[in-house]
Amino acid sequence: MKVVGGPCSKDLAGKIAELLSAPMVPARTKRFPDGEFYFKFDEDVSGEDLLIVQSLYPPQDPHLLELFLMLHTARDLGADRIRLFVPYLAYSRQDKRYLEGECLSSKMIGEILEDLGADILYTVDIHNRRVLSMYKIPTYNLTASGELARYFAEKGLVNPIVVSPDDEEIAIERARYAAETIGAEYDFLEKRRDRYTGEIVTYEKQVDVMDRDAIVIDDIISTGKTAANAVRILKKQGARRVFVGVSHALLLGDAVGLLNEVGVEEIVGTDSVMNEYAKVSVAPILVKALKEEPSP
Ligand code: R5P
């Protein structure tokens, strides 16, 4: 297998290649003065098994087009098996039309990736895993929650508890897995979001955090409101320190400011999103999954 690093995930692709002892495919990218993207493989990829690595963090739309162009080029030039590793799979909220007339963006993206010739898709902590059931190709949703918990545990925690900031099944599962990884307890808060205004309310459910270190584990920090609500409630209930570990630290607008205001101890993301909070790598998680991939 050879690894192709998309413009969003060059370092991550390099780490994956190193762990797999696989070569990187030399490639060239640039943007024309009008903003259009250019991609070129600098070696023959025909007959090769390729792993294209490209996360789709904001701005999602140009990053998506980069992925489409890389995938199209690989298929067009005769690559054999093409795996995609898209840690942050943008547009993964809608598995159905919640309101009449809504677009099904996640379905469209899946259809395009399949039409362009992807054989297998790997992603990390997808926001809504039901989205993957719309794909015809094999898909794998990996989780970074265990690695995030391990990062905090290595710092030396006092009687830790992992807390999910909302009560969705998938969110509680992530918190449970993170807790199991470090031998801690877990709990969850209850959150509701208004489908029209996007306003978030987190209920002040009692959590056993008094004098304990808490780790809030979530898939995404976008505006930071969900995580900030959780940190505020846990601090108010007597938590010693509250850490936030998140697979995709988008941290839009004043998200960091909001979290600092409520007294977060540390915000940790993964290299799914390249920023200063990317302290945990998703490379080992993918490599383990590739080694366990069922044969076709
Ligand atoms: C929501 O269901 C997700 O799991 C995240 O909690 C959410 O996307 C975070 O968004 P924000 O940072 O804007 O509250």
Side-chain angles (χ1 to χ4, degrees):
M1 185 192 299
K2 291 186 174 179
V3 182
V4 182
C8 289
S9 302
K10 279 213 169 100
D11 293 352
L12 172 58
K15 281 183 205 155
I16 293 168
E18 207 179 312
L19 289 174
L20 287 172
S21 301
M24 294 278 297
V25 182
R28 237 177 277 190
T29 61
K30 70 176 178 188
R31 290 244 163 227
F32 291 102
D34 61 359
E36 289 180 1
F37 180 65
Y38 168 91
F39 178 82
K40 175 187 183 303
F41 282 116
D42 270 345
E43 72 176 32
D44 184 10
V45 293
S46 62
E48 298 286 357
D49 265 14
L50 296 182
L51 171 69
I52 300 178
V53 184
Q54 167 88 336
S55 204
L56 297 175
Y57 52 82
Q60 296 89 328
D61 297 356
H63 293 162
L64 253 175
L65 200 71
E66 289 166 1
L67 176 61
F68 292 162
L69 282 167
M70 289 186 291
L71 174 56
H72 181 269
T73 313
R75 180 53 76 218
D76 210 33
L77 292 176
D80 186 15
R81 207 168 177 71
I82 306 178
R83 291 173 179 80
L84 303 182
F85 182 38
V86 186
Y88 181 60
L89 186 58
Y91 289 103
S92 288
R93 291 185 182 275
Q94 302 230 192
D95 59 312
K96 60 178 182 187
R97 290 192 173 87
Y98 290 92
L99 301 174
E100 207 178 319
E102 281 180 340
C103 61
L104 275 183
S105 35
S106 44
K107 185 162 188 267
M108 182 203 73
I109 285 165
E111 286 172 2
I112 295 177
L113 294 176
E114 287 172 343
D115 286 352
L116 290 178
D119 291 301
I120 300 178
L121 171 76
Y122 285 91
T123 186
V124 174
D125 289 318
I126 189 165
H127 181 72
N128 179 349
R129 69 183 152 195
R130 287 185 297 270
V131 159
L132 293 179
S133 63
M134 295 192 273
Y135 282 72
K136 293 184 203 80
I137 57 170
T139 58
Y140 299 93
N141 179 35
L142 314 177
T143 183
S145 56
E147 292 304 311
L148 288 163
R150 226 190 296 274
Y151 171 92
F152 294 115
E154 280 165 9
K155 290 173 159 272
L157 300 171
V158 174
N159 196 9
I161 178 162
V162 177
V163 182
S164 162
D166 82 53
D167 50 338
E168 289 258 337
E169 193 190 330
I170 191 169
I172 298 175
E173 253 176 47
R174 271 192 302 266
R176 186 193 307 128
Y177 181 71
E180 279 169 10
T181 305
I182 59 168
E185 291 176 1
Y186 74 95
D187 204 339
F188 59 90
L189 293 167
E190 286 162 24
K191 178 187 104 172
R192 296 289 169 266
R193 188 192 286 269
D194 185 297
R195 196 164 283 289
Y196 288 95
T197 64
E199 223 27 68
I200 289 165
V201 179
T202 309
Y203 300 99
E204 297 215 9
K205 182 191 141 190
Q206 196 60 41
V207 179
D208 182 14
V209 281
M210 182 61 84
D211 297 329
R212 301 174 74 175
D213 285 333
I215 309 171
V216 174
I217 289 283
D218 207 358
D219 56 344
I220 303 171
I221 296 182
S222 179
T223 64
K225 288 181 187 164
T226 302
N229 281 358
V231 174
R232 187 187 308 109
I233 290 170
L234 298 174
K235 293 286 282 187
K236 194 170 154 198
Q237 294 186 6
R240 188 173 167 267
R241 296 181 295 177
V242 184
F243 301 87
V244 173
V246 65
S247 312
H248 313 291
L250 306 182
L251 295 165
L252 307 179
D254 193 31
V256 173
L258 263 184
L259 280 154
N260 284 333
E261 234 170 72
V262 293
V264 70
E265 188 69 24
E266 187 180 0
I267 305 165
V268 173
T270 75
D271 50 5
S272 157
V273 182
M274 280 323 296
N275 58 26
E276 61 183 293
Y277 301 92
K279 297 175 192 163
V280 168
S281 181
V282 292
I285 302 165
L286 174 76
V287 169
K288 181 169 178 282
L290 285 172
K291 289 185 178 153
E292 290 166 1
E293 186 183 284
S295 25

